[in-house]
């Protein structure tokens, strides 16, 4: 039995999923992130093993053969994948796990783990999305490519369990935190060992 | 279509449901409480129309005939009931509504409104429950009667959607707040009118 809860966060590039996830991880010690493996080139501000695990195409394809991914995809010619082993290890230790993946990845995971909880983060507007991409210093070509991807991804909001409009970063972080923490009180996750009083526990059996 | 969410809070007397509900109502302006009607005598520290609506037995029985209650019950010889009109008015205005009722009431409401969300609050121990009753200055007879009721009610925790152990009042209030607020981001409750950007909204249709 899986002890933790699996959360899937998706959003168009620039809507804030990575920043939000990092803010959540900082303040919630019961929540862990599984780092995505990728074959894309590392950007200047990224750290290997923190933002992504950067691997060679040959390594990634070997891992596919060994069925090492919970889901994987090719985006803009690069592989991205969620490692199975790390995910289940954390869940079995009782951690909640957050995966930052795209729409296709969400669907793959839901087909294997239907009880995973999916959250779609929307930008307040397309203009805002574009301007956040510009702040990140991406090239005009890259921006246009990502905007097209965003426009293809946004209609899939309807397939997610929860929807958050990221207008204000701290507010959105609070709202995500409500979604994550509320799951911990679901009856299905309640564990009688939390009750220290023998008399009360025996009434609850 | 009902716009708000209906929450049902139950707990043995003394486990803290009323205090917790009042704390929640103070800080969450989207949440409203429907005041229970009762025929029991007003206690010294209670206010009519705030803690309960205190009515005569004849009035209550007339309301039963007029089908004015969402649920009602007799507890220790007194009637308690949730008025239908107030509840639906608040829900239709878009408020979340919190009902503080017992196990039987929860079942009656779930049979009419299955999407209502039920939360059971547990004391950390039976000793703690008893000592909280003593602090409230109840008579020994009253305490014994309520303890017996508590022992009958506690096994029903299994029928609730969420379980909270009320060890620390402020922590429990936060946890209840997570449960209540997280529902506001469920896809089913998402309203396209929240999106002010025409371009983005048209992508989402």
């Amino acid at each position: 039995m899986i002890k933790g809860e699996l959360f899937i966060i998706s959003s168009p590039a620039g809507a804030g999923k990575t920043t939000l996830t990092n803010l959540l991880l900082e303040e919630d010690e019961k929540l862990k992130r599984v780092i995505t493996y990728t074959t894309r080139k590392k950007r200047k501000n990224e750290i290997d093993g923190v933002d992504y695990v950067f691997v060679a195409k040959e390594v990634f394809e070997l891992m596919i053969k060994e069925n090492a991914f919970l889901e994987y995809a090719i985006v803009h010619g690069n592989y991205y994948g969620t490692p199975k082993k790390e995910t289940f290890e954390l869940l079995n230790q009782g951690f909640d796990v957050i995966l930052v993946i795209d729409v296709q990845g969400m669907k793959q995971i839901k087909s294997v783990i239907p009880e995973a909880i999916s959250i779609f983060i929307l930008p307040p507007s397309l203009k805002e999305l574009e301007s956040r991409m510009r702040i990140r210093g991406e090239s005009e070509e890259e921006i246009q490519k990502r905007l097209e991807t965003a426009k293809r991804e946004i209609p899939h909001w309807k397939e997610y369990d929860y929807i958050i409009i990221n207008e204000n970063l701290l507010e959105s972080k609070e709202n995500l935190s409500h979604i994550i923490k509320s799951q911990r009180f679901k009856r299905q996750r309640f564990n009688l060992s939390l009750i220290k009083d023998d008399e009360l526990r025996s009434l609850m059996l």
Side-chain angles (χ1 to χ4, degrees), chain A residues 154-191:
Chain A
I154 286 169
H156 291 278
W157 71 273
K158 297 186 190 80
E159 296 157 53
Y160 283 74
D161 299 317
Y162 292 93
I163 312 294
I164 282 184
I165 306 170
N166 183 19
E167 197 137 15
N168 172 293
L169 210 54
L170 288 185
E171 226 173 79
S172 299
K173 192 253 306 173
E174 285 302 309
N175 295 339
L176 274 167
S177 180
H178 293 319
I179 297 169
I180 291 167
K181 289 182 177 160
S182 65
Q183 314 298 330
R184 295 176 187 159
F185 304 99
K186 288 196 295 195
R187 185 197 56 243
Q188 295 84 342
R189 282 187 78 182
F190 184 78
N191 193 323

Side-chain angles (χ1 to χ4, degrees), chain A residues 13-31:
Chain A
K17 59 180 176 291
T18 311
T19 313
L20 283 169
T21 303
N22 289 338
L23 287 171
L24 284 171
L25 289 165
E26 262 172 41
E27 64 168 31
D28 189 341
E29 55 186 21
K30 290 184 192 164
L31 183 71

Side-chain angles (χ1 to χ4, degrees), chain A residues 34-173:
Chain A
V34 171
I35 313 295
T36 300
Y37 280 57
T38 186
T39 59
R40 97 153 151 67
K41 270 191 195 134
K42 197 167 85 62
R43 291 190 200 128
K44 268 182 210 160
N45 57 338
E46 289 176 328
I47 302 167
D48 189 14
V50 175
D51 296 294
Y52 289 92
V53 176
F54 296 95
V55 294
K57 202 180 167 191
E58 296 71 33
V59 174
F60 201 102
E61 288 176 342
L62 189 67
M63 288 178 75
I64 294 175
K65 273 189 195 159
E66 289 173 341
N67 197 23
F69 291 113
L70 206 51
E71 59 82 34
Y72 72 92
I74 299 181
V75 183
H76 305 319
N78 299 306
Y79 280 115
Y80 292 82
T82 304
K84 225 177 244 181
K85 190 167 160 278
E86 284 93 320
T87 308
F88 283 113
E89 269 176 10
L90 285 167
L91 289 172
N92 285 325
Q93 285 166 33
F95 289 108
D96 289 334
V97 170
I98 194 161
L99 301 177
V100 181
I101 52 177
D102 71 357
V103 175
Q104 292 311 315
M106 179 279 284
K107 287 185 188 179
Q108 285 182 57
I109 290 190
K110 278 275 199 176
S111 72
V112 186
I113 307 173
E115 62 273 29
I117 291 166
S118 60
I119 306 167
F120 197 82
I121 295 167
L122 284 165
S125 70
L126 288 184
K127 286 236 167 356
E128 176 65 22
L129 193 68
E130 196 177 329
S131 99
R132 287 183 198 168
M133 287 181 191
R134 287 195 199 285
I135 289 168
R136 291 215 303 215
E138 291 176 16
S139 71
E140 195 54 40
E141 195 199 333
E142 186 78 358
I143 288 173
Q144 289 312 318
K145 206 163 67 173
R146 286 181 182 274
L147 272 178
E148 284 315 306
T149 308
K151 285 179 185 174
R152 275 200 314 275
E153 287 188 330
I154 286 169
H156 291 278
W157 71 273
K158 297 186 190 80
E159 296 157 53
Y160 283 74
D161 299 317
Y162 292 93
I163 312 294
I164 282 184
I165 306 170
N166 183 19
E167 197 137 15
N168 172 293
L169 210 54
L170 288 185
E171 226 173 79
S172 299
K173 192 253 306 173

